[in-house]
Amino acid sequence: MTSTSSAAPPAPNSPGTVGTTGTPAAPPPPAVPAQAGTGPAPGAPQPPRRTAFAEGVDQLRAAATTEPGRLRIIGALLAALVVAFGAVTAWQMTDRSSAADDVLHNSQPLSSAAADIYSSLADANTAASSGFLAGGDETADSRERYQRDIRNAAAKLSDAATNSEPDSPSAATIARLNELLTEYTGYIERARANNRLGFPVGGSYLRLANEKMQDEMLPEAEKLYARENQRLRSDYADATSYPWAAIGLGVVVLGALVWAQRRNYRRTNRVLNHGLVAATATATIVLLWLVAGQSFARSGLNDSYDHGIRSLNVLHDARIASLKARGNENLTLVARGAETTELKDGTVVDAYDNDFQVDMSTLGKGLAEAERLADDGAGKEPVTKAVGGMEEWEKRHKTAQTAYKSGDFQQALAKVIGGKDDKPTGECFDNVDTALKTAIGHEQTEFRQAAGNGRDAMTGLPVGAGALAVLGAAGAVLGIGRRLSEYR
């Protein structure tokens, strides 16, 4: 009897078993490995995606391996360099031309206007004190001079306010001067009214008005003058600086064009490529025009500063000193010793007469400097007249002071404001002031001529540089294109 087993029979066609036909079953096929390039296995990290820039670099490298590709790259770079040269030249020369125009039509006129504001205020103060000394005999000319100075100062303040930047320090100074001008004219009218009535308080009002002028108004006007002068110097610096970025880029462009033509010659044995020669010619013209134009402009503007602005600054300061001296001379008689000051050696002197001496010393130094800076006879002649007037003024002032200190007030007054058969110091002051005005007018003309020449040297350069740069870039492209056509 055959025994039976409880184990399950082997599965059909499993390894080591025999098929129903009596032959061994075939083993299962081995696993096929994944082929390369079919992508990562599921769950594996994804490789980073290539950027358009990286692909462009690869394409550029591939193009650079062939001569036509290299030529295309060289043509594009040359065109870009020439266009960049023209653009930078146009940009920098536009800035310098604008600064030169500001010097001629903006900052210098404003600087002169600020000086006129100062001079008008100082002259109004002088005219007011002269009219006060005349008392009831105040002349119509003296009154008209005071009113004209006040109107002129107000008009110049209005012009300066229009041309100043809002919320700037200059705008704040102008607003402050307008307020002080109203207060000052009020004090002067009170002084004049009381003086005509014979009330001594009129002198107090005049001294109060003078203090307002000397301690507040003139220092504010001087600040405005200093700011406008600084603005003028800044515009000069912008207009005269060389455009080094454009010049440097122009040298690079010429170097690149020469290299490209040399490369072309070595590969083709052809001396000239018309397109590249045209590009080189235009770049050379722009570079020479740039250097020459800026050099001529710089020369003209520097000349306008050395022979115009420097003389104008000295003459304005001299005129201001003469105006202040005249005002202090008048106030010496108005105050009659009420205001004194102590010198370093302990000596007590009249404050206004001491200020007069200081102002006359400043005037003398200013006139000597103006005479040195005058570069022609037309500019030196009025300065020489002013020197003569100042010397005569000092002589007459000493005579007036001698009478004043001896107690003869009426004689001293006649020596200062004029009287019968007297030669007053006021006549000398008028001569000095007239001569200084003439000298200032001459220097203004010289400044405008030299600054205009400097600005005109830049005329057309920004537009011309841009147009020539476009032509140069076109020439470079056409020259390279002619070379490329040989490969087709």
Side-chain angles (χ1 to χ4, degrees), residues 66-230:
T66 64
E67 181 61 14
R70 285 192 289 268
L71 287 173
R72 291 187 181 93
I73 294 171
I74 291 172
L77 290 176
L78 289 176
L81 280 174
V82 174
V83 170
F85 173 43
V88 173
T89 299
W91 162 54
Q92 291 200 304
M93 294 312 298
T94 297
D95 284 348
R96 281 152 182 77
S97 180
S98 177
D101 194 68
D102 285 342
V103 166
L104 187 60
H105 295 122
N106 194 355
S107 52
Q108 196 282 326
L110 282 176
S111 176
S112 292
D116 287 342
I117 290 171
Y118 194 112
S119 299
S120 295
L121 293 175
D123 194 52
N125 198 47
T126 298
S129 60
S130 297
F132 184 90
L133 285 174
D137 297 327
E138 180 182 7
T139 64
D141 289 343
S142 175
R143 178 65 175 170
E144 173 58 27
R145 181 171 183 169
Y146 166 78
Q147 293 176 337
R148 182 176 63 250
D149 287 331
I150 292 298
R151 287 195 302 268
N152 186 57
K156 294 292 183 181
L157 284 171
S158 177
D159 292 341
T162 301
N163 291 289
S164 63
E165 297 180 1
D167 301 325
S168 65
S170 292
T173 300
I174 293 168
R176 177 62 177 157
L177 280 171
N178 276 316
E179 295 176 2
L180 292 172
L181 186 61
T182 302
E183 297 177 19
Y184 172 81
T185 54
Y187 287 136
I188 291 296
E189 293 307 318
R190 292 188 183 96
R192 179 175 285 109
N194 283 279
N195 187 47
R196 285 178 176 176
L197 295 173
F199 296 155
V201 73
S204 298
Y205 276 120
L206 184 65
R207 290 195 298 273
L208 188 60
N210 180 71
E211 290 175 2
K212 179 71 68 176
M213 177 66 72
Q214 299 290 344
D215 298 340
E216 298 184 55
M217 298 178 71
L218 292 183
E220 289 294 328
E222 190 172 6
K223 288 180 184 177
L224 180 64
Y225 179 50
R227 288 195 189 101
E228 296 305 328
N229 264 349
Q230 179 59 42

Side-chain angles (χ1 to χ4, degrees), residues 233-275:
R233 287 191 292 269
S234 177
D235 286 339
Y236 262 108
D238 291 341
T240 57
S241 62
Y242 272 106
W244 293 114
I247 293 174
L249 188 55
V251 173
V252 170
V253 168
L254 287 179
L257 288 168
V258 170
W259 171 84
Q261 291 176 85
R262 183 173 180 274
R263 181 183 185 277
N264 184 62
Y265 169 73
R266 295 184 64 181
R267 281 166 171 74
T268 65
N269 207 30
R270 295 170 184 165
V271 178
L272 298 177
N273 178 291
H274 294 166

Side-chain angles (χ1 to χ4, degrees), residues 425-481:
T425 59
E427 183 180 82
C428 300
F429 162 72
D430 288 337
N431 292 336
V432 171
D433 195 56
T434 300
L436 286 174
K437 286 180 180 178
T438 302
I440 289 172
H442 173 74
E443 297 301 333
Q444 284 276 17
T445 301
E446 285 207 331
F447 158 78
R448 284 192 292 267
Q449 182 177 356
N453 292 338
R455 183 202 57 181
D456 293 343
M458 304 181 194
T459 301
L461 183 50
V463 176
L468 287 173
V470 172
L471 292 177
V477 171
L478 291 174
I480 295 297

Side-chain angles (χ1 to χ4, degrees), residues 320-374:
I320 287 168
S322 71
L323 291 167
K324 292 171 69 176
R326 178 59 177 172
N328 285 318
E329 183 180 45
N330 290 340
L331 287 167
T332 301
L333 299 181
V334 172
R336 300 194 185 190
E339 300 289 339
T340 59
T341 186
E342 185 176 348
L343 303 180
K344 292 181 179 180
D345 60 1
T347 305
V348 178
V349 296
D350 186 282
Y352 294 117
D353 187 58
N354 181 69
D355 289 341
F356 169 83
Q357 300 297 336
V358 172
D359 294 331
M360 291 298 284
S361 176
T362 302
L363 173 61
K365 293 176 182 177
L367 290 177
E369 180 67 9
E371 202 167 19
R372 185 185 69 82
L373 291 174

Side-chain angles (χ1 to χ4, degrees), residues 40-47:
Q46 300 291 325

